[in-house]
């Protein structure tokens, strides 16, 4: 019997209409859907995005929802990733393909990467289906081009001392995971004397989308700040 494969499916930033045709086809057909949960009581955002596609299915597909907690303890994190890989491998071994749904694109700060490494190590096949990233979704919500001509785009997932040292080298900065960043983000950006546009976008492409000029104080989990320095 041939073994199943793991498919990391990017589901885009929130609007179900931003699911690609390819992602939609896979999710309409694959026998097992795997959706990450950050806590047992918190529903998976990626699963919610694809729910309308799954509702059209007439067959008995299976959904598994392993826990990928947002904690700092590396030992505990690795235990959770190992457990998720074991659960997925059980289905692959039976010849069933598993589609792992992930917010945005599977290659951008996605829990999929932890699973991918473990599943490859177990010698199963893995595929990736790209999705629309949250930061291009945020740029569309803000109605701005992220970069033009020879401008350099920098993606920042964590604000620490490195941000100050790279500010001079970039034109547009996408600051992701801003709910985790404190005053250091604002202080570092404001200290740069260049003219700049700062736009924060929360829950982009969702019904609850908010676009705010500047930084936001009450940051939601899905919160991104775009900083565009002017060259003039
Ligand atoms: C773990 S990363 C996932 C990134 C995703 N794989 C992608 O391709 O965009 C989560 C971060 O992405 C950003 N994000 C994801 N979806 C978003 C949305 N709908 N609106 C604003 N920011 C979003 C936020 O900065 C959030 O903290």
């Amino acid at each position: 019997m041939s073994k199943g494969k793991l498919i990391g499916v990017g589901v885009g930033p929130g609007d179900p209409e931003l699911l690609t045709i390819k992602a939609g086809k896979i999710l309409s057909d694959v026998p097992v859907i795997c959706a990450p949960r950050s806590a047992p009581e918190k529903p998976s955002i990626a699963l919610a995005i694809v729910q309308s596609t799954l509702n059209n299915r007439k067959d008995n597909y299976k959904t598994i929802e392993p826990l990928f907690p947002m904690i700092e303890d590396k030992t505990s994190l690795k235990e959770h990733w190992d457990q998720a890989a074991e659960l997925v491998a059980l289905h692959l071994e039976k010849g069933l393909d598993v589609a792992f749904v992930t917010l945005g694109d599977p290659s951008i700060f996605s829990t999929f990467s932890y699973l991918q490494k473990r599943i490859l190590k177990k010698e199963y096949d893995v595929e990736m289906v790209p999705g629309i990233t949250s930061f291009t979704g945020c740029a569309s919500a803000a109605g701005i081009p992220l970069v033009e001509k020879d401008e350099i785009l920098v993606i920042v997932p964590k604000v620490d001392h490195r941000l100050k040292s790279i500010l001079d080298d970039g034109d547009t900065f996408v600051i992701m995971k801003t709910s985790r960043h404190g005053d250091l983000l604002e202080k570092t950006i404001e200290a740069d004397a260049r003219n700049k546009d700062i736009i924060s976008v929360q829950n982009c492409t969702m019904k609850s989308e908010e676009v705010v000029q500047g930084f936001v104080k009450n940051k939601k989990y899905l919160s991104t700040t775009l900083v565009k320095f002017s060259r003039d």
Side-chain angles (χ1 to χ4, degrees):
M1 185 179 61
S2 61
K3 299 193 174 161
K5 67 180 170 211
L6 171 66
I7 314 164
V9 179
V11 303
D15 181 348
E17 291 193 358
L18 293 177
L19 201 64
T20 64
I21 294 173
K22 183 158 184 161
K25 276 187 186 165
I26 291 170
L27 297 172
S28 302
D29 190 51
V30 80
V32 184
I33 308 286
C34 179
R37 267 188 194 240
S38 59
E41 68 285 1
K42 282 199 182 154
S44 158
I45 302 173
L47 188 60
I49 294 171
V50 300
Q51 198 56 58
S52 52
T53 303
L54 297 176
N55 288 348
N56 290 329
R57 287 185 67 159
K58 303 276 179 272
D59 62 337
N60 285 325
Y61 69 90
K62 183 173 178 185
T63 305
I64 53 176
E65 296 185 66
L67 202 57
F68 288 79
M70 286 194 229
I71 51 174
E72 297 292 331
D73 179 351
K74 287 204 172 112
T75 312
S76 174
L77 272 176
K78 283 183 180 162
E79 280 169 15
H80 281 92
W81 299 337
D82 288 345
Q83 281 168 17
E86 288 299 321
L87 179 63
V88 168
L90 275 178
H91 296 84
L92 301 179
E93 194 55 32
K94 289 183 197 156
L96 301 172
D97 290 347
V98 177
F100 182 95
V101 289
T102 187
L103 193 61
D105 184 275
S107 70
I108 305 284
F109 306 120
S110 169
T111 43
F112 173 69
S113 58
Y114 309 119
L115 190 59
Q116 178 181 29
K117 285 185 198 122
R118 284 163 175 75
I119 293 298
L120 284 173
K121 224 173 180 180
K122 292 178 188 288
E123 301 191 341
Y124 296 103
D125 288 342
V126 178
E127 269 180 33
M128 287 160 86
V129 175
I132 294 174
T133 68
S134 57
F135 53 88
T136 49
C138 289
S140 297
I144 55 161
L146 276 180
V147 268
E148 295 161 88
K149 296 182 191 153
D150 58 350
E151 289 174 346
I152 294 174
L153 176 66
V154 182
I155 315 284
V156 181
K158 185 175 182 199
V159 174
D160 54 26
H161 61 282
R162 292 173 296 173
L163 178 59
K164 189 167 181 288
S165 61
I166 57 173
L167 271 190
D168 276 349
D169 296 325
D171 297 289
T172 302
F173 288 74
V174 170
I175 318 287
M176 297 178 78
K177 309 187 183 187
T178 47
S179 59
R180 298 198 313 197
H181 305 320
D183 294 342
L184 184 60
L185 168 64
E186 291 187 39
K187 275 192 197 141
T188 311
I189 299 291
E190 298 297 2
D192 192 306
R194 287 175 289 173
N195 284 334
K196 52 199 160 289
D197 284 323
I198 303 166
I199 304 180
S200 297
V201 186
Q202 310 210 79
N203 296 344
C204 81
T205 80
M206 298 176 176
K207 287 194 180 106
S208 52
E209 173 183 285
E210 280 175 66
V211 181
V212 175
Q213 297 292 326
F215 296 99
V216 277
K217 291 284 173 223
N218 297 323
K219 295 172 193 133
K220 297 184 175 140
Y221 168 59
L222 298 182
S223 175
T224 299
T225 296
L226 309 174
V227 181
K228 217 176 151 159
F229 290 101
S230 162
R231 288 190 171 197
D232 311 325

